[in-house]
Amino acid sequence: MKKILAAAAVSLAILPAPALAQIDSASVERGADGSLTLSWTAQGPVDVYVATTPDAMPADAEPVSMDDEDGMHIYQPASEAGRTYFVLAGIDGDVRHAAARVLPLEGGRNFRDLGGYPAMDGMSVRWGRLYRSGAMHELTAADYHYLSGLDIAVICDFRANQERIDEPTDWQAGAVDMMNWDYEMDMSSLGAAFGGDMSPERSAAAMTAFYRQMPVAYGDRYAQMFQRIAAGDLPMTFHCSAGKDRTGLAAALILSALGVPRDVILDDYAMSDDLVDYMADLREAREQADPDSPNAFWAQLPEAVIAPFMASDPAYLAAALDQIEADHGSVEAYLQDELGVTDAALAAMRSSLLE
């Protein structure tokens, strides 16, 4: 019997370790208790690590699950920890990073990372380089403590003069270069919704027309944003008030430049509806009856008429991109012709933002 057991032990000892798999995709969701659920797809086991920096490699990270084959790992960060990044290691040195997209901010509005999306040539967008957001005037001390660990270098604020006055940003997360522009909002293209009989259909048509004008109307601001990205002035946060319209098109242009598929870009845009209840904000403005509120004008209108303006309907963004393609042939041609983004600038962007 002892000889049989010994032979079995020798046989097991010489079996090869499981081959790590090629990693196809990975995503992270944050639970109500702060736990992080990492999910991935791979044909075989992977090694899972956690790190506090977005570019960490396995040698610099903490192992939490080796030869993991079930495609899921739940991790509970320490309460005082900063942002958690996962590092998945697969076959032939294949490494993929993942993090929770939406930042856990008490006073944040639609503040999220553009990392992790599939891009050109089988690469993906790096985490911790580009963030999109809405207005940041309600960020708390705890939020700024969290944000201070992200090393944000540039904030690109697309808001008009009065918007910045009404909801000023008091950035307290380290030295940052604030970009903004001296202009007043031109809402004339939305006026069609308020002449004659108001209806949700007219509101949606006005929003579609507004989006078709945005690539030219905001081209100078987008051009300067691209210049900073190409120069490597990262990490960057870009935002407007709601974080869905001017910001949404900016995100779409960046992701398009990186070769992210159109359906993924539209899904990222539509995510705003899941993260912010814009109609609730308007109801609050109506209840407060504050004539100086940025939402005062909208609050007096019927909700059915307002709703299309508050929505992140993928059809709006698709209209802007369709207009770009009709005018220039492609988004890349628009970037070059309208925004002055050179081939060298595009190559620099892709080098710093893709992995």
Side-chain angles (χ1 to χ4, degrees):
M1 184 65 176
K2 289 182 180 180
K3 291 182 179 179
I4 295 174
L5 291 175
V10 170
S11 176
L12 289 173
I14 63 175
L15 287 176
L20 294 178
Q22 187 76 27
I23 304 159
D24 298 319
S25 64
S27 62
V28 179
E29 295 294 332
R30 181 179 289 102
D33 61 351
S35 62
L36 300 173
T37 299
L38 168 68
S39 303
W40 68 89
T41 56
Q43 302 301 313
V46 301
D47 292 341
V48 180
Y49 305 79
V50 294
T52 57
T53 57
D55 294 327
M57 298 302 285
D60 308 312
E62 174 190 352
V64 293
S65 183
M66 300 291 100
D67 295 332
D68 197 324
E69 298 187 76
D70 65 2
M72 185 181 76
H73 182 79
I74 299 175
Y75 179 76
Q76 183 68 59
S79 58
E80 70 279 4
R83 194 173 187 202
T84 298
Y85 300 91
F86 289 94
V87 187
L88 290 83
I91 196 170
D92 294 333
D94 182 33
V95 172
R96 184 177 291 268
H97 296 88
R101 185 166 305 286
V102 182
L103 304 190
L105 304 176
E106 297 172 341
R109 175 185 288 179
N110 210 358
F111 206 132
R112 48 193 163 106
D113 196 326
L114 285 181
Y117 287 130
M120 61 197 319
D121 300 328
M123 295 186 285
S124 61
V125 181
R126 291 182 186 272
W127 291 95
R129 293 289 195 279
L130 290 168
Y131 301 94
R132 55 174 295 176
S133 177
M136 297 189 283
H137 62 292
E138 294 183 331
L139 292 175
T140 66
D143 292 338
Y144 278 120
H145 177 73
Y146 178 89
L147 290 168
S148 64
L150 304 185
D151 298 325
I152 293 170
V154 178
I155 293 178
C156 183
D157 186 345
F158 293 125
R159 296 178 301 165
N161 297 346
Q162 194 60 46
E163 293 175 288
R164 298 197 308 275
I165 292 171
D166 292 336
E167 298 177 337
T169 299
D170 181 21
W171 186 257
Q172 301 171 30
V176 69
D177 185 2
M178 286 281 190
M179 297 177 64
N180 54 58
W181 292 267
D182 180 13
Y183 79 103
E184 301 297 339
M185 283 290 288
D186 179 7
M187 305 299 288
S188 59
S189 63
L190 301 182
F194 305 117
D197 295 331
M198 293 185 294
S199 69
E201 291 76 20
R202 292 192 67 176
S203 297
M207 277 295 280
T208 301
F210 173 67
Y211 267 75
R212 288 189 177 277
Q213 295 176 8
M214 285 176 65
V216 172
Y218 296 99
D220 61 333
R221 277 140 272 189
Y222 294 149
Q224 292 178 55
M225 175 190 69
F226 270 87
Q227 288 172 9
R228 300 299 297 270
I229 295 172
D233 296 336
L234 303 168
M236 172 189 285
T237 297
F238 55 92
H239 77 101
C240 55
S241 290
K244 71 180 187 71
D245 299 317
R246 290 161 288 183
T247 297
L249 181 54
L253 295 175
I254 294 169
L255 295 177
S256 295
L258 300 177
V260 175
R262 178 66 58 87
D263 61 331
V264 175
I265 292 172
L266 294 177
D267 286 345
D268 174 79
Y269 170 80
M271 193 183 302
S272 293
D273 277 344
D274 299 326
L275 301 177
V276 183
D277 188 344
Y278 297 105
M279 294 301 295
D281 292 344
L282 288 168
R283 294 186 191 106
E284 182 179 349
R286 178 181 288 138
E287 292 170 0
Q288 293 174 347
D290 180 0
D292 297 324
S293 166
N295 292 324
F297 168 75
W298 299 97
Q300 64 185 324
L301 298 172
E303 289 197 3
V305 173
I306 300 171
F309 294 103
M310 301 297 104
S312 297
D313 187 338
Y316 298 158
L317 181 61
L321 298 175
D322 288 346
Q323 190 66 54
I324 286 173
E325 292 175 344
D327 293 341
H328 298 275
S330 68
V331 174
E332 185 166 330
Y334 161 82
L335 297 177
Q336 295 175 330
D337 300 341
E338 188 76 25
L339 305 191
V341 181
T342 65
D343 289 341
L346 274 176
M349 281 184 55
R350 291 165 179 168
S351 176
S352 62
L353 292 175
L354 295 178
E355 63 176 6

